[in-house]
Amino acid sequence: MTLTHTLAKHAAFALAGVCLTVLVTAIAASEPRGIKLEWRALVPENWESPLILPAPESDGHYPVDSHSLVHELDGQRINLPGYMIPVRYEQNVVSEFLFVPFLGHHMLSHAHYQAYQMVYVELLEPVTVSDPFSAWLVRGVLRVASVTTEDGRTGYTLEQAHAEPYQVDEYNKNTQQHSNH
């Protein structure tokens, strides 16, 4: 591969990153309630999980692979449906939780969440949870920032967060969809 070819390849990747950033920013600016994300949008399009994971750190958790996160989404107002795993709660009132694309009982085998599959959410106003297995919609500002929890390290956090029971029809009507794939 020649130097010119290598430079052209790097320039193309840089231009693609700029285009994605401009697209995400334009979508977020046009939708005051935030962009509608699917979980696959939280993983870079061409990223592949390594075949061999790095060794766990001294606390027993695996390090977060920064290449597995979509840095262009940092600071964007988003809407994301999923499931909560309460972290801070009193009886059935939840103020902080891990937000994940599925719950462990949805899997036939042991569920292990990767960092890009976990968003740490701290709500502005706590919510009352009547069904711990129901789907929720979170809204807020997404940050590429890790928080260590009992279930592992998250890849993202959600600031200025609100949560409400997930209503498919309302969600599709009131938000604009964005996906990396």
Side-chain angles (χ1 to χ4, degrees):
M1 183 179 294
T2 67
L3 178 60
T4 304
H5 186 259
T6 301
L7 290 174
K9 184 177 176 183
H10 287 291
F13 283 126
L15 181 59
V18 168
C19 290
L20 178 60
T21 301
V22 169
L23 173 65
V24 168
T25 303
I27 290 172
S30 69
E31 182 60 49
R33 294 191 69 158
I35 52 177
K36 173 184 170 186
L37 289 184
E38 294 180 11
W39 283 93
R40 64 181 177 207
L42 298 178
V43 182
E45 187 172 352
N46 295 319
W47 181 79
E48 292 185 25
S49 181
L51 294 176
I52 300 173
L53 292 175
E57 294 182 349
S58 61
D59 62 3
H61 296 296
Y62 291 97
V64 175
D65 178 358
S66 68
H67 294 76
S68 70
L69 306 173
V70 180
H71 295 270
E72 293 81 8
L73 291 173
D74 188 60
Q76 299 300 315
R77 182 163 296 285
I78 62 116
N79 301 282
L80 184 66
Y83 299 88
M84 67 169 62
I85 300 173
V87 172
R88 182 165 287 153
Y89 57 93
E90 189 170 318
Q91 295 182 356
N92 63 337
V93 178
V94 178
S95 60
E96 295 179 31
F97 55 91
L98 286 178
F99 204 58
V100 296
F102 55 86
L103 292 175
H105 72 278
H106 292 155
M107 304 294 294
L108 294 176
S109 61
H110 174 71
H112 172 74
Y113 302 107
Q114 298 294 327
Y116 58 80
Q117 293 176 309
M118 293 192 292
V119 178
Y120 191 85
V121 179
E122 186 173 345
L123 296 172
L124 290 172
E125 296 290 328
V127 294
T128 300
V129 177
S130 58
D131 177 4
F133 302 111
S134 63
W136 287 81
L137 175 67
V138 294
R139 301 179 193 279
V141 177
L142 190 68
R143 294 289 178 198
V144 177
S146 184
V147 172
T148 300
T149 71
E150 288 182 15
D151 290 299
R153 289 194 174 89
T154 68
Y156 301 96
T157 60
L158 196 65
E159 298 176 346
Q160 303 169 23
H162 298 275
E164 61 191 59
Y166 179 55
Q167 305 287 332
V168 176
D169 294 336
E170 277 300 307
Y171 183 59
N172 290 331
K173 182 174 73 174
N174 292 329
T175 56
Q176 183 173 350
Q177 187 166 348
H178 173 71
S179 171
N180 272 350
H181 306 282

